[in-house]
Amino acid sequence: MLQVKHQFQSFEEYLSYDDGTEKLYELFNGELIEMPPESGINVQIATFLLIQFVSLLGHKRVRGHGLELEVRGEPRNRYPDLTIIREEHIQQLANRNTIRLSMLPPLLVVEVVSPGELQRDRDFIAKRLQYQDCGIPEYWIIDPQTQSILVLELINEIYHEIGIFSGDDLVLSPQFNSLNLKVSQIFA
């Protein structure tokens, strides 16, 4: 990851920053960390799921990698691979594709694990804690290495495992129980 030198005193100051590019940054200890491009397999999986959820919910409530979530801790923001937003978010995100802590959380975030131990820890530990803290009702961790999906549901402010799904298992989603999706379709 490439570091861009600029010191921000607050998240609001960061939100008003515009470097004239379409680059995505995480705000870590007041400094911008440029996000590298996603791997091809991650984009492929996220795009497949985006299509599935669009057919279920319509295009306005399904957001790809560019949606930004303000979180507590470091970094101060995250960019999930896929996010299912609430109806009220559509208007709130019209000017900037950022869900603030002051807003209701999205209904679902999906992360596709990138190769490497650091990335695994980030998705399975750090992001899990941050998303749990934000009150996001459902979190999926898709692991291309093991070709499995961990589905977590927020119950009493703590994520509980709904299951680890693989092969021809149907993905069980507490928020979207009409979703009829086999894990094998995602990795085909």
Side-chain angles (χ1 to χ4, degrees):
M1 290 186 221
L2 185 70
Q3 286 196 359
V4 177
K5 295 295 177 197
H6 189 92
Q7 193 68 33
F8 294 93
Q9 302 304 313
S10 68
F11 196 72
E12 284 68 27
E13 183 183 345
Y14 156 76
L15 288 176
S16 66
Y17 176 74
D18 182 3
D19 67 358
T21 71
E22 294 294 318
K23 294 177 181 176
L24 301 178
Y25 299 99
E26 285 184 344
L27 181 62
F28 192 84
N29 288 328
E31 293 185 6
L32 297 180
I33 308 294
E34 184 180 341
M35 300 301 299
E38 288 289 324
S39 72
I41 190 71
N42 288 31
V43 171
Q44 182 179 318
I45 290 169
T47 301
F48 176 80
L49 287 173
L50 183 134
I51 292 166
Q52 301 307 307
F53 276 104
V54 164
S55 68
L56 188 68
L57 303 169
H59 71 281
K60 293 183 179 181
R61 294 192 42 219
V62 184
R63 300 289 168 107
H65 182 65
L67 179 117
E68 178 180 41
L69 288 176
E70 179 184 14
V71 295
R72 289 178 192 85
E74 297 295 338
R76 299 280 315 272
N77 57 332
R78 295 289 189 180
Y79 295 92
D81 292 306
L82 184 75
T83 306
I84 307 302
I85 63 174
R86 298 170 187 267
E87 192 71 36
E88 66 202 50
H89 288 142
I90 296 168
Q91 186 61 32
Q92 293 172 330
L93 301 177
N95 293 328
R96 183 177 175 113
N97 202 26
T98 301
I99 295 180
R100 303 289 313 270
L101 287 169
S102 59
M103 300 163 72
L104 284 174
L107 296 173
L108 168 68
V109 293
V110 176
E111 294 286 0
V112 182
V113 180
S114 297
E117 211 49 45
L118 179 65
Q119 288 76 4
R120 293 183 72 72
D121 288 349
R122 187 176 55 202
D123 290 337
F124 281 96
I125 299 169
K127 289 181 184 179
R128 178 178 176 160
L129 292 171
Q130 285 181 311
Y131 295 161
Q132 176 179 281
D133 181 61
C134 289
I136 298 169
E138 190 170 337
Y139 176 34
W140 292 11
I141 304 172
I142 300 179
D143 189 347
Q145 184 179 335
T146 62
Q147 295 202 348
S148 64
I149 300 175
L150 170 61
V151 175
L152 301 163
E153 180 181 24
L154 194 66
I155 301 171
N156 297 324
E157 300 179 5
I158 296 173
Y159 276 136
H160 294 269
E161 223 177 85
I162 296 302
I164 299 174
F165 305 99
S166 61
D168 285 332
D169 294 342
L170 281 175
V171 179
L172 298 179
S173 169
Q175 296 285 315
F176 305 99
N177 53 17
S178 62
L179 186 68
N180 187 18
L181 183 63
K182 290 182 180 180
V183 176
S184 57
Q185 292 174 280
I186 296 169
F187 294 107

PDB file of all heavy atoms in Angstrom, residues 159-174:
ATOM      1  N   TYR A 159     -21.503 -10.776  17.195  1.00  0.00           N
ATOM      2  CA  TYR A 159     -21.684 -11.649  16.040  1.00  0.00           C
ATOM      3  C   TYR A 159     -21.677 -13.109  16.477  1.00  0.00           C
ATOM      4  O   TYR A 159     -20.792 -13.554  17.208  1.00  0.00           O
ATOM      5  CB  TYR A 159     -20.574 -11.440  15.008  1.00  0.00           C
ATOM      6  CG  TYR A 159     -20.828 -10.284  14.068  1.00  0.00           C
ATOM      7  CD1 TYR A 159     -19.825  -9.386  13.750  1.00  0.00           C
ATOM      8  CD2 TYR A 159     -22.077 -10.098  13.475  1.00  0.00           C
ATOM      9  CE1 TYR A 159     -20.046  -8.329  12.875  1.00  0.00           C
ATOM     10  CE2 TYR A 159     -22.307  -9.046  12.611  1.00  0.00           C
ATOM     11  CZ  TYR A 159     -21.302  -8.165  12.310  1.00  0.00           C
ATOM     12  OH  TYR A 159     -21.532  -7.130  11.457  1.00  0.00           O
ATOM     13  N   HIS A 160     -22.674 -13.824  15.999  1.00  0.00           N
ATOM     14  CA  HIS A 160     -22.786 -15.262  16.219  1.00  0.00           C
ATOM     15  C   HIS A 160     -22.747 -15.952  14.866  1.00  0.00           C
ATOM     16  O   HIS A 160     -23.318 -15.458  13.895  1.00  0.00           O
ATOM     17  CB  HIS A 160     -24.095 -15.607  16.948  1.00  0.00           C
ATOM     18  CG  HIS A 160     -24.143 -15.064  18.335  1.00  0.00           C
ATOM     19  ND1 HIS A 160     -23.697 -15.787  19.416  1.00  0.00           N
ATOM     20  CD2 HIS A 160     -24.555 -13.862  18.818  1.00  0.00           C
ATOM     21  CE1 HIS A 160     -23.843 -15.054  20.506  1.00  0.00           C
ATOM     22  NE2 HIS A 160     -24.355 -13.879  20.170  1.00  0.00           N
ATOM     23  N   GLU A 161     -22.099 -17.101  14.828  1.00  0.00           N
ATOM     24  CA  GLU A 161     -21.935 -17.858  13.595  1.00  0.00           C
ATOM     25  C   GLU A 161     -23.240 -18.549  13.212  1.00  0.00           C
ATOM     26  O   GLU A 161     -23.755 -19.362  13.965  1.00  0.00           O
ATOM     27  CB  GLU A 161     -20.852 -18.923  13.823  1.00  0.00           C
ATOM     28  CG  GLU A 161     -19.903 -19.062  12.691  1.00  0.00           C
ATOM     29  CD  GLU A 161     -18.807 -20.074  12.992  1.00  0.00           C
ATOM     30  OE1 GLU A 161     -19.042 -21.273  12.765  1.00  0.00           O
ATOM     31  OE2 GLU A 161     -17.733 -19.626  13.429  1.00  0.00           O
ATOM     32  N   ILE A 162     -23.750 -18.216  12.043  1.00  0.00           N
ATOM     33  CA  ILE A 162     -24.903 -18.931  11.490  1.00  0.00           C
ATOM     34  C   ILE A 162     -24.403 -20.230  10.871  1.00  0.00           C
ATOM     35  O   ILE A 162     -25.048 -21.260  10.951  1.00  0.00           O
ATOM     36  CB  ILE A 162     -25.621 -18.071  10.426  1.00  0.00           C
ATOM     37  CG1 ILE A 162     -26.198 -16.808  11.076  1.00  0.00           C
ATOM     38  CG2 ILE A 162     -26.714 -18.864   9.719  1.00  0.00           C
ATOM     39  CD1 ILE A 162     -27.179 -17.067  12.196  1.00  0.00           C
ATOM     40  N   GLY A 163     -23.209 -20.166  10.272  1.00  0.00           N
ATOM     41  CA  GLY A 163     -22.612 -21.362   9.705  1.00  0.00           C
ATOM     42  C   GLY A 163     -21.465 -21.033   8.774  1.00  0.00           C
ATOM     43  O   GLY A 163     -21.287 -19.884   8.358  1.00  0.00           O
ATOM     44  N   ILE A 164     -20.679 -22.072   8.492  1.00  0.00           N
ATOM     45  CA  ILE A 164     -19.644 -21.996   7.466  1.00  0.00           C
ATOM     46  C   ILE A 164     -20.145 -22.890   6.349  1.00  0.00           C
ATOM     47  O   ILE A 164     -20.334 -24.091   6.542  1.00  0.00           O
ATOM     48  CB  ILE A 164     -18.278 -22.469   7.987  1.00  0.00           C
ATOM     49  CG1 ILE A 164     -17.821 -21.591   9.154  1.00  0.00           C
ATOM     50  CG2 ILE A 164     -17.247 -22.452   6.858  1.00  0.00           C
ATOM     51  CD1 ILE A 164     -16.552 -22.076   9.831  1.00  0.00           C
ATOM     52  N   PHE A 165     -20.373 -22.298   5.198  1.00  0.00           N
ATOM     53  CA  PHE A 165     -20.993 -23.001   4.087  1.00  0.00           C
ATOM     54  C   PHE A 165     -19.982 -23.241   2.977  1.00  0.00           C
ATOM     55  O   PHE A 165     -19.147 -22.389   2.692  1.00  0.00           O
ATOM     56  CB  PHE A 165     -22.185 -22.201   3.568  1.00  0.00           C
ATOM     57  CG  PHE A 165     -23.184 -21.886   4.652  1.00  0.00           C
ATOM     58  CD1 PHE A 165     -23.184 -20.649   5.278  1.00  0.00           C
ATOM     59  CD2 PHE A 165     -24.092 -22.839   5.064  1.00  0.00           C
ATOM     60  CE1 PHE A 165     -24.089 -20.355   6.297  1.00  0.00           C
ATOM     61  CE2 PHE A 165     -25.007 -22.569   6.084  1.00  0.00           C
ATOM     62  CZ  PHE A 165     -24.995 -21.325   6.688  1.00  0.00           C
ATOM     63  N   SER A 166     -20.073 -24.421   2.344  1.00  0.00           N
ATOM     64  CA  SER A 166     -19.164 -24.765   1.242  1.00  0.00           C
ATOM     65  C   SER A 166     -19.863 -25.733   0.295  1.00  0.00           C
ATOM     66  O   SER A 166     -20.960 -26.226   0.584  1.00  0.00           O
ATOM     67  CB  SER A 166     -17.871 -25.377   1.789  1.00  0.00           C
ATOM     68  OG  SER A 166     -18.165 -26.560   2.503  1.00  0.00           O
ATOM     69  N   GLY A 167     -19.216 -26.004  -0.834  1.00  0.00           N
ATOM     70  CA  GLY A 167     -19.738 -26.965  -1.802  1.00  0.00           C
ATOM     71  C   GLY A 167     -21.128 -26.608  -2.287  1.00  0.00           C
ATOM     72  O   GLY A 167     -21.385 -25.482  -2.699  1.00  0.00           O
ATOM     73  N   ASP A 168     -22.032 -27.565  -2.216  1.00  0.00           N
ATOM     74  CA  ASP A 168     -23.406 -27.346  -2.678  1.00  0.00           C
ATOM     75  C   ASP A 168     -24.341 -26.867  -1.567  1.00  0.00           C
ATOM     76  O   ASP A 168     -25.565 -26.872  -1.737  1.00  0.00           O
ATOM     77  CB  ASP A 168     -23.959 -28.626  -3.324  1.00  0.00           C
ATOM     78  CG  ASP A 168     -23.364 -28.860  -4.709  1.00  0.00           C
ATOM     79  OD1 ASP A 168     -22.989 -27.867  -5.376  1.00  0.00           O
ATOM     80  OD2 ASP A 168     -23.268 -30.024  -5.123  1.00  0.00           O
ATOM     81  N   ASP A 169     -23.769 -26.442  -0.415  1.00  0.00           N
ATOM     82  CA  ASP A 169     -24.599 -25.874   0.649  1.00  0.00           C
ATOM     83  C   ASP A 169     -25.304 -24.626   0.141  1.00  0.00           C
ATOM     84  O   ASP A 169     -24.716 -23.824  -0.597  1.00  0.00           O
ATOM     85  CB  ASP A 169     -23.745 -25.433   1.849  1.00  0.00           C
ATOM     86  CG  ASP A 169     -23.067 -26.566   2.584  1.00  0.00           C
ATOM     87  OD1 ASP A 169     -23.489 -27.729   2.421  1.00  0.00           O
ATOM     88  OD2 ASP A 169     -22.118 -26.276   3.341  1.00  0.00           O
ATOM     89  N   LEU A 170     -26.548 -24.436   0.585  1.00  0.00           N
ATOM     90  CA  LEU A 170     -27.227 -23.167   0.371  1.00  0.00           C
ATOM     91  C   LEU A 170     -26.722 -22.191   1.426  1.00  0.00           C
ATOM     92  O   LEU A 170     -26.555 -22.565   2.589  1.00  0.00           O
ATOM     93  CB  LEU A 170     -28.740 -23.325   0.521  1.00  0.00           C
ATOM     94  CG  LEU A 170     -29.496 -23.924  -0.656  1.00  0.00           C
ATOM     95  CD1 LEU A 170     -30.965 -24.121  -0.291  1.00  0.00           C
ATOM     96  CD2 LEU A 170     -29.379 -23.049  -1.891  1.00  0.00           C
ATOM     97  N   VAL A 171     -26.459 -20.959   1.011  1.00  0.00           N
ATOM     98  CA  VAL A 171     -26.044 -19.929   1.957  1.00  0.00           C
ATOM     99  C   VAL A 171     -27.283 -19.498   2.737  1.00  0.00           C
ATOM    100  O   VAL A 171     -28.278 -19.081   2.146  1.00  0.00           O
ATOM    101  CB  VAL A 171     -25.419 -18.723   1.230  1.00  0.00           C
ATOM    102  CG1 VAL A 171     -25.009 -17.649   2.231  1.00  0.00           C
ATOM    103  CG2 VAL A 171     -24.238 -19.144   0.381  1.00  0.00           C
ATOM    104  N   LEU A 172     -27.227 -19.627   4.062  1.00  0.00           N
ATOM    105  CA  LEU A 172     -28.348 -19.221   4.908  1.00  0.00           C
ATOM    106  C   LEU A 172     -28.115 -17.797   5.394  1.00  0.00           C
ATOM    107  O   LEU A 172     -27.168 -17.528   6.131  1.00  0.00           O
ATOM    108  CB  LEU A 172     -28.491 -20.166   6.102  1.00  0.00           C
ATOM    109  CG  LEU A 172     -28.792 -21.626   5.778  1.00  0.00           C
ATOM    110  CD1 LEU A 172     -28.893 -22.455   7.056  1.00  0.00           C
ATOM    111  CD2 LEU A 172     -30.066 -21.747   4.957  1.00  0.00           C
ATOM    112  N   SER A 173     -28.996 -16.906   4.945  1.00  0.00           N
ATOM    113  CA  SER A 173     -28.893 -15.503   5.303  1.00  0.00           C
ATOM    114  C   SER A 173     -30.064 -15.115   6.197  1.00  0.00           C
ATOM    115  O   SER A 173     -31.215 -15.184   5.761  1.00  0.00           O
ATOM    116  CB  SER A 173     -28.900 -14.639   4.042  1.00  0.00           C
ATOM    117  OG  SER A 173     -29.046 -13.276   4.382  1.00  0.00           O
ATOM    118  N   PRO A 174     -29.799 -14.694   7.431  1.00  0.00           N
ATOM    119  CA  PRO A 174     -30.887 -14.278   8.319  1.00  0.00           C
ATOM    120  C   PRO A 174     -31.676 -13.078   7.777  1.00  0.00           C
ATOM    121  O   PRO A 174     -32.891 -13.017   7.946  1.00  0.00           O
ATOM    122  CB  PRO A 174     -30.183 -13.899   9.616  1.00  0.00           C
ATOM    123  CG  PRO A 174     -28.855 -14.560   9.555  1.00  0.00           C
ATOM    124  CD  PRO A 174     -28.507 -14.665   8.108  1.00  0.00           C
TER     125      PRO A 174
END
